[in-house]
Amino acid sequence: IIFILFMLSAVAKMFPIWSFEKQLVDLGIASWCFVPYLARLIIAAEIAIGIGILQRHFLKRIIIPATILLLVAFCIHLSMQMYQHGAMSGNCGCFGQLIPMTPLEAFIKNIITIGLLIYLYRNVKEKERGKNNFIYLLTMYFFAGLFMFIAFPFCPCAKTDKPVPVVVEKDSVEVKKPDSITVVIDTTNKSEVQKDTVAAPPVLVENAPKKVVSKFAPYTAFGNKKVNLDEGKKIVCLFAPGCDHCRATAKAICELSKAGNLPEVYILFMDEEAYQIPDFFKEAQCTFPNQVLKIPEFWNLFGPGGNTPGVFCLWNGNILKMFEGIEKNKFEAKGFREIFDSK
């Protein structure tokens, strides 16, 4: 039973592994540059424990006590999560996305597992002193780790990925004043006219915010199109190609765009199942300029705790409104166009 629990937990975290990585980042345990290593080492440890529980080398002196201590640490973490966010909120991630479990369910599962381990400790025997070989434990973990890094390769960070800080300025009035205008004055009441150049009066335009540098400023190439996302009104979407909620959001934005009076829309896709992008646009029933980002870079644009689908309404680099996830702050088509109206 212990073997099955730990192997199932390890396999569930692998598909998709970026989801487990994101959870570690959201918890503040690691950065996106370090988390690929940590996630694979944690999963390798679960595989090694699962296999280790079936053999007798240092079973009672190392494997069972270490596993109990690991589960106690998880229980302490889950207790803190339940105190801060509630016992039934969210997915603890113990079995990845395969079997969602609330913190309370995971806590109960860990307590039962600890009970089973205590029972094993009292009833099983390990090899006699002098016949145990520590190299068996090291070999199990080494090959489990090797498997994880070969089966789930990744590109190491050249430098720490940090999102560009977003600066939001207060609204200001922009005035456009042309140098001059030409006025035609009839001085003869006949066909001849005199052209005089006079100063043009200032023209008041919409109440636009000051231009700032947003976290989307580095993304200027969308296919053959060059664009400055911090110039004027823009809609920037963060989507995963295989995400059903992202597709529904894209379809709603397509319908609004076809109705007119909607700013330009640009999509930044996560590099996961990128082959589904053509089907994504087919389901959305229109296409938008897009580019694909590496997974750490993609999630850094959300910030801790953010989730897809993400829709950012920009005006001169200022974020007027942000939609993300499928809960409280999810995308709403109603009133979406009015976000860009003058204040």
Side-chain angles (χ1 to χ4, degrees):
I1 293 172
I2 300 297
F3 168 79
I4 291 172
L5 281 173
F6 276 89
M7 294 302 292
L8 179 60
S9 176
V11 173
K13 290 183 177 70
M14 297 178 193
F15 304 102
I17 194 169
W18 64 260
S19 180
F20 179 52
E21 293 173 347
K22 181 178 183 298
Q23 186 173 32
L24 294 175
V25 173
D26 289 344
L27 290 172
I29 296 174
S31 68
W32 272 109
C33 279
F34 178 67
V35 78
Y37 303 95
L38 180 61
R40 284 155 182 78
L41 291 174
I42 290 175
I43 296 173
E46 291 185 315
I47 295 173
I49 289 173
I51 297 173
I53 208 76
L54 300 180
Q55 55 84 55
R56 293 173 59 192
H57 290 274
F58 290 105
L59 182 60
K60 293 187 71 170
R61 275 187 282 171
I62 295 179
I63 292 179
I64 293 178
T67 306
I68 291 174
L69 288 174
L70 182 64
L71 291 173
V72 168
F74 286 155
C75 285
I76 293 172
H77 167 70
L78 289 168
S79 298
M80 296 172 61
Q81 291 295 106
M82 288 189 287
Y83 176 76
Q84 293 176 354
H85 307 291
M88 305 301 291
S89 62
N91 177 15
C92 72
C94 299
F95 292 112
Q97 301 298 315
L98 180 65
I99 307 176
M101 297 184 72
T102 65
L104 179 60
E105 291 170 339
F107 183 87
I108 295 172
K109 182 263 297 180
N110 286 348
I111 294 297
I112 294 173
T113 306
I114 290 172
L116 290 173
L117 287 165
I118 293 173
Y119 173 82
L120 283 176
Y121 185 83
R122 291 178 176 178
N123 290 276
V124 301
K125 295 181 179 180
E126 66 179 13
K127 289 182 176 293
E128 298 177 4
R129 288 185 178 274
K131 294 185 178 181
N132 287 291
N133 193 339
F134 195 71
I135 197 68
Y136 279 86
L137 307 188
L138 293 178
T139 302
M140 285 187 292
Y141 188 63
F142 172 79
F143 279 102
L146 186 64
F147 165 77
M148 287 304 303
F149 282 91
I150 292 176
F152 300 93
F154 62 94
C155 296
C157 292
K159 58 182 179 179
T160 303
D161 289 328
K162 293 183 178 179
V164 180
V166 183
V167 182
V168 180
E169 298 284 352
K170 293 182 179 180
D171 291 344
S172 62
V173 176
E174 179 184 349
V175 175
K176 292 184 178 180
K177 182 180 179 181
D179 295 333
S180 63
I181 58 174
T182 300
V183 181
V184 179
I185 304 173
D186 188 351
T187 58
T188 62
N189 275 335
K190 297 182 180 179
S191 58
E192 296 181 4
V193 298
Q194 175 182 340
K195 293 183 179 180
D196 291 339
T197 301
V198 298
V203 179
L204 186 66
V205 298
E206 57 188 355
N207 193 23
K210 291 181 180 179
K211 187 176 180 181
V212 298
V213 178
S214 75
K215 56 187 173 183
F216 300 105
Y219 307 104
T220 58
F222 291 82
N224 296 324
K225 184 176 181 179
K226 296 292 183 180
V227 63
N228 181 0
L229 295 179
D230 289 345
E231 186 73 43
K233 300 175 182 179
K234 301 287 190 299
I235 298 172
V236 180
C237 302
L238 300 182
F239 292 151
C243 167
D244 292 335
H245 296 289
C246 297
R247 295 187 177 204
T249 301
K251 186 174 182 179
I253 293 176
C254 279
E255 292 173 355
L256 292 170
S257 179
K258 291 174 182 177
N261 299 323
L262 200 67
E264 295 176 336
V265 180
Y266 299 88
I267 298 179
L268 299 173
F269 281 114
M270 178 173 66
D271 190 11
E272 215 269 339
E273 299 181 320
Y275 64 89
Q276 293 196 36
I277 292 177
D279 289 337
F280 182 98
F281 286 124
K282 183 178 180 180
E283 187 172 332
Q285 299 179 0
C286 70
T287 59
F288 294 119
N290 64 90
Q291 61 172 286
V292 179
L293 306 183
K294 293 180 180 178
I295 293 174
E297 185 180 5
F298 178 87
W299 288 113
N300 270 334
L301 291 175
F302 273 106
N307 212 339
T308 54
V311 179
F312 294 78
C313 303
L314 303 181
W315 192 354
N316 287 345
N318 298 277
I319 298 178
L320 301 180
K321 179 72 175 178
M322 171 189 171
F323 301 93
E324 62 91 17
I326 58 174
E327 296 180 355
K328 292 182 180 179
N329 197 30
K330 67 180 181 180
F331 176 80
E332 295 285 353
K334 184 179 179 181
F336 181 66
R337 189 180 286 108
E338 286 71 21
I339 293 172
F340 296 93
D341 288 349
S342 302
K343 297 181 180 179

